Amino acid sequence: MGVAVATATLAQEQRGASSPEDLEAGKQVYTRKCAQCHGDDGQGTGPAANEVFPRPRDFTRGIYKIRSTPSGTVPTDGDLFRSITNGLPGTSMPAWGVLPERDRRQVVQHIKIFSQKFKEEIPTPITIPPEVPSSAESIARGQELYRDAECWQCHGDAGRGDGPSLPDLKDDWGHPIWPADLTQCWNFRGGSTQQDIFRAFMTGLSGTPMPSFADIFEPQQAWDLTNYVRSLCRDRNVDIFVRAVPAEGELPTDVNDPRWANAPAIDFPLVGQIIQEPRQFTPSINAVTVRAMHTAGDIALLLSWDDRTHSKANPEARTSDDAFVVQWPVRLTEGPEKPYFLYGDTSRPVYLWRWTANAEGISELNATGFGTESPQRQESQNLKGTVVYDHGQYKMLVRRTITTDDKDNDLQFEAAKFIPIAFSAWDGSNDETGNKRAISAWYFLYLEPTPSRARLIYPGIAVVAIAAAELFFGRQGRRRRSA
Amino acid sequence: MMTRWLILLLLGIVMLPMQGLSYEAITVSDGGTIVGEVKYAGDPPAPEKIDVTKDANICGADPKVSPALVVGANKGIKDVVASLPSIQKGKALGKPDKPPVLDQKGCEYHPYAQIIPVNTTLEITNSDDVLHNIKTKGGSKTSFNMAQPKFKRKLTYDFKNPEIVQVECNVHGWMNAIIVVEDNPYDALTDANGSFKITDVPPGKYTVKVWHSKLGEQTKEVTVGPKEEVQVAFDMKAP
């Protein structure tokens, strides 16, 4: 017994036992910065807890997702310090790197008070062996492991977190939880470096269905799988405008037309609509990727967004229709004024392209504020388009003529102008319908002017002129020499 | 340096009596027996059906019956954990002859409930050609979540805390099991008739506790005389 006490006490010293002053200071920081979500008692039930998803951590059980320690054990002080400093991407937990380092170290000590586990256990980090550099071969081996170890049961065949186990998944507190969308590595809670991903495999994410593979994978295998998962992550390209590039011939009619690769893809973030009742604090669709092309007469947009479920209205399953809206002003103005971004206002109406899972095609509407949406007359409906759902991702292609006859209600596109564009998205499996939706601010679409033929003519003239000049001066030179 | 070791030594001596709180093995020659019966109070709910929503080729396409609450024809409740939480001394806690096994077969745990002595290694086997993960539900000190893909037929885990551990599979959300980790041999699971028997109990007064994952827990006081058989009955129902 005496020996056991000695070991525990020494370990306490090694971990840097905190002074009463530090603990008091940590409590102060906690009360100011953390308690709103995590609660004064650390139970994760602060005043804001119901408005965030995933819910704030309950510190009283000592269960932490992001650790360098084996499954089921407490994290190290360094792990907690890192989570506080970097935040948990894709959640409401912000990066507190703005706080002085001492504050962050002190608050770590306060958080540990909430669970007895920190007094009973000595955290021992796993060792992370040297990484296997990514290569085509390593990625291919990782892909095989992804299939054989059935990572797809939760994360889906394409990695978008839409696997067949999705409906059953709950965390230790009984709250529904989503598997990570592996194509959005910037939202990985514990970071997205090779080391971060390897660590997640080997420690698991405690309190969640993500298990530890420490007894399953050799380090080489875990690195191969890391490299495969890293390869699923697409490049994110956030901007405030998307260019509609000129296209030759007919515009694509297929969402998978290879010519879409020629159009730059821009990611526009979506957030919950929390300005008007009813509010949606926890939307599941977090971005839309937009590509655009045009010819002299037509414009086409390709919009894609990740949604783990393809939902239609079903009262029994308590789902609504998935839906998406592209919003434009009806009229372009010279100044900076734009319609109110939530479906416009009485002085500045908006023009909407709407798709819902229960209807064929994409329809045109107008609105002067939420709740005033009215579909245009049948003869004025002139959108062509298609929506495809595949492996956790929607792709929506919409085509329209650059100008229309219904100039009172339809936006008339103009080249070389920044045209306001905004988006709304609904995940019918996430209690989203009506004003409970994901929205964007106004962004812009810029139609690059179609290059005129002059671009081809002038270089031609120049070539001919130079050739003629060379010929002329060359002959003169020879004449002189012969003279 | 010397002073520190002295303090630690003193601390150790002071804490020695605390060992008395744990269980002490003695020879029991005139032990009695506690025979118990746990019945459902009132009309038991219909057996809970589980629709197999995935991997039907491995899990079986037919609906399963949940093992979490099984009530027999005589209203006896199966797999209730009976124990004597206050017992301090008694027969030695044996070691199992062969390692206890928790098998995952047909996307069910076999057995649903079992008792193992503390500090025993449980063999967790996957007889299915599909991924399972075995995860402790919140609430126990024991905490783990291990993946077990189809190519990993056997995992092991050492149970170090005497307590009731509930485990689940997240890949197949209906899979649940109970592992009772005992630090004394005076506990039992009820059979299909709701009966249990705890033998070789040293004469004395005891609290008998029954626990069920869906029905909560109850206690009753009993006095066991030398070589006596004591009857105890419980009525449980959903809260």
Side-chain angles (χ1 to χ4, degrees):
Chain A
M1 199 66 201
V3 176
V5 172
T7 319
T9 311
L10 287 178
Q12 193 69 35
E13 281 181 5
Q14 278 157 8
R15 276 182 289 163
S18 35
S19 68
E21 291 77 24
D22 277 344
L23 282 174
E24 183 52 36
K27 188 179 179 183
Q28 302 281 330
V29 176
Y30 182 87
T31 305
R32 273 201 322 274
K33 304 292 182 188
C34 317
Q36 288 87 341
C37 288
H38 295 283
D40 287 326
D41 53 7
Q43 288 186 6
T45 51
N50 287 335
E51 319 300 357
V52 302
F53 181 88
R55 289 179 66 89
R57 183 86 333 199
D58 165 6
F59 296 132
T60 62
R61 290 208 199 157
I63 296 172
Y64 289 85
K65 283 186 212 171
I66 311 305
R67 306 172 330 281
S68 60
T69 57
S71 175
T73 62
V74 294
T76 64
D77 287 10
D79 293 336
L80 294 174
F81 181 79
R82 198 177 57 232
S83 289
I84 291 167
T85 303
N86 300 339
L88 264 63
T91 78
S92 302
M93 171 69 185
W96 289 105
V98 290
L99 291 179
E101 184 180 328
R102 205 179 59 155
D103 285 13
R104 282 176 275 145
R105 295 212 178 279
Q106 287 165 336
V107 85
V108 164
Q109 298 309 321
H110 183 69
I111 286 167
K112 286 164 61 184
I113 285 178
F114 292 121
S115 169
Q116 191 66 22
K117 274 188 135 188
F118 285 101
K119 296 199 182 76
E120 295 165 353
E121 289 176 18
I122 300 160
T124 318
I126 61 163
T127 47
I128 298 187
E131 57 198 53
V132 173
S134 189
S135 65
E137 294 75 27
S138 173
I139 289 171
R141 288 193 300 267
Q143 182 167 18
E144 221 166 284
L145 279 169
Y146 187 88
R147 193 191 59 218
D148 292 349
E150 295 177 74
C151 306
W152 51 265
Q153 287 272 13
C154 290
H155 295 283
D157 288 335
R160 293 200 187 91
D162 61 322
S165 287
L166 172 68
D168 289 339
L169 298 181
K170 295 210 168 26
D171 69 10
D172 270 12
W173 289 262
H175 303 126
I177 189 166
W178 299 326
D181 180 340
L182 303 177
T183 68
Q184 301 184 350
C185 60
W186 53 88
N187 282 332
F188 288 0
R189 310 296 191 240
S192 58
T193 66
Q194 269 190 301
Q195 306 264 325
D196 293 331
I197 296 170
F198 181 97
R199 200 180 55 233
F201 291 145
M202 296 314 217
T203 66
L205 269 59
S206 292
T208 82
M210 173 68 188
S212 156
F213 287 83
D215 293 332
I216 308 298
F217 293 143
E218 297 298 323
Q220 160 83 37
Q221 292 178 304
W223 284 122
D224 288 341
L225 194 57
T226 296
N227 290 332
Y228 174 64
V229 166
R230 201 70 187 68
S231 78
L232 293 173
C233 188
R234 58 192 180 83
D235 292 329
R236 192 164 61 144
N237 193 8
V238 177
D239 208 331
I240 60 159
F241 74 103
V242 58
R243 287 183 294 133
V245 293
E248 298 288 330
E250 279 291 297
L251 288 174
T253 54
D254 184 342
V255 296
N256 294 317
D257 191 309
R259 285 181 294 162
W260 284 113
N262 303 331
I266 302 298
D267 294 292
F268 297 113
L270 302 179
V271 296
Q273 190 287 112
I274 55 167
I275 293 169
Q276 299 170 349
E277 290 278 0
R279 299 178 167 91
Q280 172 56 305
F281 286 96
T282 56
S284 74
I285 303 166
N286 57 23
V288 56
T289 308
V290 184
R291 293 174 173 85
M293 279 190 222
H294 72 95
T295 58
D298 294 299
I299 181 164
L301 265 65
L302 179 69
L303 306 117
S304 57
W305 66 96
D306 289 3
D307 179 344
R308 291 175 173 82
T309 50
H310 173 62
S311 331
K312 288 191 172 186
N314 177 355
E316 222 168 88
R318 297 170 71 183
T319 55
S320 313
D321 288 315
D322 284 345
F324 199 90
V325 161
V326 182
Q327 170 179 284
W328 313 91
V330 172
R331 273 171 290 279
L332 294 179
T333 54
E334 290 304 323
E337 306 86 21
K338 294 184 283 285
Y340 186 49
F341 74 114
L342 295 175
Y343 279 1
D345 50 77
T346 42
S347 53
R348 295 183 196 84
V350 292
Y351 165 58
L352 307 172
W353 295 352
R354 185 173 73 184
W355 168 81
T356 62
N358 71 343
E360 287 290 309
I362 299 152
S363 52
E364 296 174 82
L365 302 87
N366 290 98
T368 53
F370 183 80
T372 68
E373 309 91 277
S374 68
Q376 294 186 357
R377 288 168 295 112
Q378 195 53 46
E379 54 271 33
S380 186
Q381 297 282 349
N382 43 24
L383 296 178
K384 291 196 180 71
T386 170
V387 177
V388 176
Y389 182 79
D390 183 38
H391 283 103
Q393 186 179 52
Y394 277 107
K395 283 184 176 172
M396 167 168 153
L397 189 160
V398 203
R399 285 191 307 153
R400 212 204 70 178
T401 50
I402 297 276
T403 57
T404 66
D405 296 335
D406 190 1
K407 298 202 170 10
D408 287 342
N409 299 307
D410 294 351
L411 169 73
Q412 307 300 309
F413 288 99
E414 292 178 44
K417 274 202 172 164
F418 285 93
I419 299 167
I421 183 172
F423 312 93
S424 294
W426 289 260
D427 173 1
S429 292
N430 191 39
D431 193 25
E432 292 174 18
T433 182
N435 224 348
K436 292 191 83 173
R437 54 178 165 154
I439 54 164
S440 78
W442 282 113
Y443 291 98
F444 298 97
L445 175 86
Y446 182 82
L447 265 70
E448 284 190 346
T450 310
S452 67
R453 297 207 176 272
R455 200 182 60 159
L456 297 174
I457 292 165
Y458 286 124
I461 293 171
V463 169
V464 173
I466 290 164
E470 274 191 0
L471 214 63
F472 177 74
F473 290 113
R475 266 188 196 158
Q476 283 213 329
R478 274 199 294 279
R479 256 182 224 158
R480 269 194 208 129
R481 275 198 296 277
S482 60
Chain B
M1 194 64 198
M2 208 43 209
T3 331
R4 181 159 78 181
W5 283 109
L6 208 64
I7 291 169
L8 288 175
L9 196 69
L10 278 173
L11 250 174
I13 291 163
V14 169
M15 289 175 83
L16 261 176
M18 287 173 71
Q19 282 191 318
L21 290 175
S22 64
Y23 183 74
E24 189 188 334
I26 56 164
T27 312
V28 181
S29 52
D30 55 351
T33 302
I34 299 170
V35 175
E37 220 173 26
V38 187
K39 296 211 164 177
Y40 199 91
D43 291 330
E48 189 194 340
K49 280 216 167 153
I50 298 164
D51 288 323
V52 175
T53 47
K54 63 198 296 285
D55 299 323
N57 56 329
I58 286 145
C59 304
D62 298 331
K64 296 174 183 296
V65 178
S66 167
L69 177 57
V70 176
V71 182
N74 65 343
K75 293 199 180 175
I77 308 168
K78 189 173 186 289
D79 289 331
V80 175
V81 182
S83 62
L84 306 182
S86 58
I87 196 161
Q88 306 271 314
K89 293 176 184 180
K91 62 182 172 184
L93 179 64
K95 281 274 163 198
D97 302 336
K98 52 179 186 174
V101 176
L102 179 61
D103 188 28
Q104 297 153 99
K105 191 171 187 181
C107 307
E108 294 169 15
Y109 288 112
H110 299 281
Y112 163 70
Q114 63 182 305
I115 298 177
I116 65 171
V118 70
N119 295 319
T120 300
T121 301
L122 181 70
E123 290 189 354
I124 301 163
T125 56
N126 183 359
S127 303
D128 289 334
D129 275 333
V130 73
L131 168 75
H132 291 300
N133 73 310
I134 181 159
K135 173 178 172 295
T136 51
K137 288 191 187 180
S140 57
K141 268 188 172 181
T142 305
S143 173
F144 59 81
N145 181 5
M146 297 184 283
Q148 192 164 22
K150 57 193 169 200
F151 54 79
K152 185 76 178 181
R153 290 296 173 202
K154 191 168 94 179
L155 287 170
T156 56
Y157 189 83
D158 297 339
F159 286 82
K160 296 205 168 80
N161 299 302
E163 60 180 347
I164 297 171
V165 179
Q166 300 189 65
V167 295
E168 63 182 350
C169 173
N170 301 107
V171 188
H172 309 93
W174 60 82
M175 291 174 67
N176 287 283
I178 292 169
I179 301 147
V180 182
V181 185
E182 57 178 8
D183 62 354
N184 70 66
Y186 294 102
D187 46 18
L189 289 169
T190 55
D191 61 17
N193 296 318
S195 304
F196 68 88
K197 194 185 239 185
I198 298 175
T199 58
D200 304 321
V201 183
K205 272 189 85 171
Y206 296 98
T207 302
V208 182
K209 182 166 116 178
V210 289
W211 176 93
H212 186 272
S213 68
K214 301 266 181 196
L215 310 176
E217 63 179 55
Q218 287 183 18
T219 56
K220 278 198 174 162
E221 306 298 319
V222 295
T223 306
V224 181
K227 307 223 176 197
E228 190 195 357
E229 187 177 288
V230 183
Q231 309 275 339
V232 59
F234 293 91
D235 289 315
M236 301 184 92
K237 62 174 188 175

